[in-house]
Amino acid sequence: MRDRVFISHSSRQRTYRDGTPTRASLLRDRLHDELERLNYTVFLDLEDIGPGMDWRPEVTNALDRCDAFIVLLDEFAVKSPRARQETIVALHNRATRGTPHVIPVLVDDLSTRQVKAMGFTDLDLVQAVKLDAAAGPAEVDRVVAKVTSVFACLPPGLDPADATWAERLSYQLRSVDHELRYKGAKALGIEEKLCTATRAVAGDLLLAIQLLNHGGQPGVVRAVGVLRWRMGSEDLTRLVRLLHPSWVNRASARKLRPSDDGPIPLRAALNASHAWVGRHYLDVAFCFDDANITVRDIGFVAGEDAGRSMSAELRREVAEATRGTAGRCHLVVIAQGVRPARLHEALDDLQKEFPDVAAILLLGPRGRVARPEVLELDALDADAEELAHQFVNDLNRAAKLAESV
């Protein structure tokens, strides 16, 4: 996840001359604990860079993916070339793409003049948080509270696949300022506390999570209608495409993934009629991993199967889909009205030649399957497809995109 906080400090000097821990190191540890309580991951080079690892690419990668950069400046940190370089990179990233949020903390009565004299010339110190040399535990707590007050509290225990999906959404929301995020959250219809939190650090990620949690609901359409006013056309198009399958039952769709200790289900069935439903299920199951998933839609019209070679049709589609790629092929087969025995015979023949090909069989609203080798996904409600179709097209209209399903 991108919900990382980078804390820059003097990692080489963690004690004063008398051996007591520096206030910067104490503050670092307290900030680390509080940010983890808010469900952020925190990058600390002492812990996150292993022995023998080249620290430069590790630090650069951490700076590239962080939401916030906290620099703890004491008499040791201002003399540290690494702390100065980390600050330069963070400020460059902030200037070019809007993140990370930069929070300077002056420790031990360090003055802004001293900081500027040591090369931190571009750092805005007007709003710097200060921790005095005589500070006790209560003052450290106050500084921790002040620094972390700008962070949104992220939901705990997010499913890894949902976390990846939300992160992709949040990248499209990075260009949206905090006030418009707040208005989008209000349009979504979530509680005021969460709306306010979207103004904070990682507010784009929090809003993305809430959009997913309300997938398929009118509030998502209203939110997109608000957010589109400050989004570039490419970001807006990606956002909407990522939200299209948010109506899908995620727990059901992820049954299509391989289990921890078993193979991928090679045959699944769903009581749906349209190929785009199968594609939405695959998007959710594999989190839009288009690089490794090829989908082929195959429709068999009722009454035609007797004079049509299903095996030949299936082989042709799979051969075309897998040519020149090592990715997995999924077939979305519209099987409504097709004789089940004939269809499964054709799939059995196909898997002799292509043993890793998986198929989702769309059996129609009343379709059911009673074969042990077929995974039957949770049944859709009678009007689910119609409502999902309306949701997708409403999203497109709100974003001024062409209808897609």
Side-chain angles (χ1 to χ4, degrees), residues 258-264:
S259 60
D260 293 338
D261 55 354
I264 192 168

Side-chain angles (χ1 to χ4, degrees), residues 165 169 172 234-246 280 283 288 392-393 395-396 399 401-405:
W165 192 357
L169 278 170
Q172 314 315 319
E234 289 187 8
D235 285 344
L236 181 60
T237 299
R238 291 193 194 101
L239 178 77
V240 169
R241 297 293 185 240
L242 286 166
L243 286 171
H244 277 172
S246 62
H280 280 188
D283 283 339
F288 302 89
V392 169
N393 287 329
L395 272 179
N396 292 341
L401 303 177
E403 294 190 2
S404 61
V405 299

Side-chain angles (χ1 to χ4, degrees), residues 35-36 77 87 116 126 142 148 154 197 211 221 232 241 250 262 281 313 328 348 353:
L35 288 165
E36 284 204 331
T87 303
K116 297 290 187 182
V126 174
R142 183 195 66 81
T148 58
L154 298 175
L211 287 168
V221 176
R241 297 293 185 240
R250 301 201 282 270
Y281 267 71
E313 172 90 5
R328 176 174 293 281
D348 290 340
E353 186 176 350

Side-chain angles (χ1 to χ4, degrees), residues 372-385:
E373 73 273 22
V374 179
L375 168 67
E376 192 160 13
L377 300 176
D378 297 351
L380 295 174
D381 293 337
D383 56 352
E385 277 187 275

Side-chain angles (χ1 to χ4, degrees), residues 8-324:
S8 180
H9 59 103
S10 175
S11 57
R12 291 186 176 181
Q13 191 71 44
R14 302 197 65 192
T15 62
Y16 295 114
R17 292 178 180 84
D18 62 2
T20 59
T22 64
R23 266 167 288 279
S25 66
L26 292 172
L27 182 58
R28 185 203 79 148
D29 293 342
R30 286 281 290 106
L31 285 169
H32 174 275
D33 293 346
E34 181 62 14
L35 288 165
E36 284 204 331
R37 189 187 67 79
L38 295 173
N39 301 307
Y40 290 82
T41 51
V42 182
F43 183 90
L44 300 172
D45 53 11
L46 284 176
E47 284 77 10
D48 289 346
I49 301 178
M53 295 175 63
D54 186 351
W55 62 268
R56 291 175 182 82
E58 293 296 319
V59 168
T60 300
N61 289 337
L63 286 167
D64 283 344
R65 64 177 180 257
C66 69
D67 276 306
F69 175 82
I70 302 171
V71 56
L72 307 179
L73 295 170
D74 60 5
E75 59 176 306
F76 308 112
V78 293
K79 298 173 184 176
S80 167
R82 185 188 295 187
R84 185 163 55 250
Q85 185 61 33
E86 289 168 353
T87 303
I88 290 171
V89 173
L91 290 172
H92 172 76
N93 289 346
R94 173 73 178 175
T96 56
R97 65 179 187 225
T99 56
H101 187 79
V102 178
I103 305 172
V105 182
L106 304 185
V107 183
D108 289 348
D109 301 324
L110 199 68
S111 69
T112 57
R113 181 177 298 179
Q114 289 173 292
V115 174
K116 297 290 187 182
M118 295 305 293
F120 294 80
T121 52
D122 294 327
L123 193 60
D124 184 2
L125 298 173
V126 174
Q127 299 294 327
V129 182
K130 296 183 179 181
L131 181 65
D132 297 335
E139 184 64 13
V140 172
D141 289 344
R142 183 195 66 81
V143 170
V144 169
K146 186 170 183 178
V147 170
T148 58
S149 66
V150 300
F151 289 82
C153 182
L154 298 175
L158 202 62
D159 180 276
D162 288 342
T164 300
W165 192 357
E167 184 174 3
R168 293 188 179 191
L169 278 170
S170 72
Y171 272 111
Q172 314 315 319
L173 294 169
R174 274 189 160 188
S175 61
V176 177
D177 64 60
H178 65 276
E179 281 303 320
L180 194 61
R181 288 201 304 262
Y182 173 80
K183 291 178 181 178
K186 291 285 285 186
L188 182 59
I190 59 179
E191 60 180 294
E192 179 62 29
K193 181 180 178 180
L194 289 174
C195 292
T196 301
T198 62
R199 289 171 161 152
V201 173
D204 54 348
L205 183 60
L206 181 63
L207 179 55
I209 292 169
Q210 294 303 317
L211 287 168
L212 285 185
N213 288 344
H214 292 75
Q217 299 180 20
V220 177
V221 176
R222 293 194 299 268
V224 168
V226 171
L227 295 169
R228 74 179 182 87
W229 293 104
R230 300 282 179 85
M231 296 185 70
S233 59
E234 289 187 8
D235 285 344
L236 181 60
T237 299
R238 291 193 194 101
L239 178 77
V240 169
R241 297 293 185 240
L242 286 166
L243 286 171
H244 277 172
S246 62
W247 65 273
V248 168
N249 180 326
R250 301 201 282 270
S252 179
R254 286 171 187 151
K255 294 177 183 178
L256 297 168
R257 297 176 65 94
S259 60
D260 293 338
D261 55 354
I264 192 168
L266 293 180
R267 227 169 281 184
L270 181 66
N271 64 326
S273 304
H274 299 94
W276 58 266
V277 175
R279 285 175 172 265
H280 280 188
Y281 267 71
L282 288 169
D283 283 339
V284 173
F286 295 97
C287 204
F288 302 89
D289 191 5
D290 297 327
N292 295 311
I293 299 291
T294 301
V295 181
R296 276 293 203 269
D297 302 338
I298 300 179
F300 295 118
V301 180
E304 288 190 3
D305 57 324
R308 185 177 181 181
S309 173
M310 290 188 190
S311 295
E313 172 90 5
L314 292 169
R315 278 199 301 272
R316 183 166 54 251
E317 289 288 347
V318 173
E320 177 65 26
T322 57
R323 184 178 295 124

